[in-house]
Amino acid sequence: MSQKIAFQGEPGAYSHEACRDARPNMEAYPCRTFEDVIEAVQSGKAEQAMLPVENTIYGRVADIHRLLPESGLKIIDEAFVRVHINLLGVPGARLENVQEAHSHVVLLPQCATFLAQHGIRGRVNADNARAAREIAERGDPHIAALASELAGEIYGLDVLARHIEDTDSNTTRFLLMARDGDTTRRGDHGMMTTFVFEVRNIPAALYKAMGGFATNGVNMTKLESYMVDGSFTATQFYADIEGHPDDPAVARALDELDYFTSMINILGTYPRDPRRD
């Protein structure tokens, strides 16, 4: 029996595409919500989870940073997926006859130029892969979907126009998570470490906590804050750094961080994906 990797969305979603690219030998396991993805791994229905954390166009994925620390799962890898948007129609459909394009509210503005040039009206759907499935079911050559090529393959749709997004920099970063972490050094491009922390209630605590990374030459690639339990005073921080906790410089920086914080939770240590450059 093949191992499974859980993702949020319907078959053909960009998260499904990420699963196929990063774990081609695993069976993709679709889930309705991010919570369901995490539960699938917690319960053993799947061995790994593929979770999007940020996109170059629309920023941080809502709720993910809140879910990660509570999940009990560990980050074991990262993957960067270039989001290519395609116009998909039923077999025999022609671009010049398409009147409507259905997709997620996030994708529609990213194809505004193409849609305007061809006089196509955008229609919002809760999910781009679902839009592709519904277009296939309706069989109307005058309506199309904006989705991945994988969605076209799954639902038997033709690619009427390929890579129609307005910008060529649309990329989503995913984290691969599992029940057990892996702290071994692996990959050819160094290691990343992700953690969350809360600073102590003392003046300039965050400034002092971050000082150890600067003085030890540890590159922090991400630092974000978010409220805990809806409180304006309880704030957690999410951070990505380059390096492994056993690296002397990283170890010293984490020791200094520990002094100024009330909580540190290392979410994972994993190979650095060269596509983050």
Side-chain angles (χ1 to χ4, degrees):
M1 182 181 297
S2 62
Q3 291 190 321
K4 295 180 180 179
I5 179 167
F7 69 94
Q8 186 276 327
E10 297 201 16
Y14 286 101
S15 291
H16 185 185
E17 192 172 65
C19 292
R20 189 175 69 167
D21 291 346
R23 294 292 188 268
N25 296 323
M26 298 183 74
E27 178 185 347
Y29 182 78
C31 298
R32 189 176 63 86
T33 66
F34 292 133
E35 288 87 351
D36 292 340
V37 172
I38 291 170
E39 191 279 330
V41 179
Q42 291 171 334
S43 65
K45 298 173 187 173
E47 283 70 33
Q48 294 182 20
M50 177 71 75
L51 291 168
V53 289
E54 56 194 330
N55 176 270
T56 53
I57 302 297
Y58 58 82
R60 184 170 71 183
V61 176
D63 292 335
I64 282 294
H65 292 72
R66 173 183 61 82
L67 294 173
L68 296 187
E70 301 171 357
S71 70
L73 305 181
K74 294 295 184 181
I75 305 168
I76 59 170
D77 211 346
E78 68 175 350
F80 288 76
V81 175
R82 175 73 171 83
V83 179
H84 287 300
I85 306 174
N86 309 278
L87 186 73
L88 307 177
V90 296
R94 298 173 62 86
L95 172 58
E96 56 267 29
N97 295 328
V98 173
Q99 300 171 358
E100 293 183 0
H102 296 223
S103 194
H104 191 276
V105 64
V106 170
L107 260 62
L108 288 169
Q110 297 177 31
C111 303
T113 301
F114 177 89
L115 296 180
Q117 288 175 345
H118 292 85
I120 299 173
R121 298 185 298 273
R123 291 288 181 264
V124 174
N125 192 293
D127 182 89
N128 55 78
R130 180 186 301 176
R133 174 173 59 80
E134 292 176 352
I135 295 303
E137 291 170 351
R138 292 174 64 174
D140 187 341
H142 299 97
I143 57 175
L146 301 177
S148 68
E149 288 195 57
L150 176 59
E153 295 174 16
I154 291 173
Y155 301 112
L157 299 175
D158 289 347
V159 177
L160 306 183
R162 184 174 278 105
H163 302 178
I164 62 173
E165 59 274 11
D166 290 346
T167 175
D168 60 2
S169 62
N170 189 350
T171 301
T172 299
R173 180 185 180 221
F174 291 85
L175 295 177
L176 287 82
M177 306 190 74
R179 289 184 294 277
D180 299 316
D182 183 357
T183 59
T184 61
R185 296 180 187 272
R186 54 204 191 277
D188 300 321
H189 303 279
M191 300 289 287
M192 299 291 298
T193 298
T194 293
F195 54 92
V196 294
F197 64 93
E198 291 183 21
V199 295
R200 294 165 54 196
N201 189 22
I202 57 176
L206 179 60
Y207 173 79
K208 295 173 182 177
M210 295 295 95
F213 296 95
T215 57
N216 286 284
V218 177
N219 186 29
M220 180 170 287
T221 61
K222 179 169 288 296
L223 178 65
E224 292 188 348
S225 64
Y226 55 103
M227 291 185 295
V228 180
D229 298 326
S231 170
F232 284 104
T233 58
T235 303
Q236 283 190 356
F237 293 88
Y238 171 100
D240 293 332
I241 60 172
E242 293 183 347
H244 189 285
D246 290 341
D247 295 342
V250 174
R252 290 192 298 268
L254 290 174
D255 283 343
E256 192 164 339
L257 176 68
D258 183 62
Y259 182 79
F260 294 105
T261 56
S262 57
M263 180 278 289
I264 303 175
N265 179 9
I266 294 180
L267 300 181
T269 298
Y270 48 94
R272 181 182 182 279
D273 190 316
R275 288 171 292 186
R276 66 168 37 251
D277 296 330

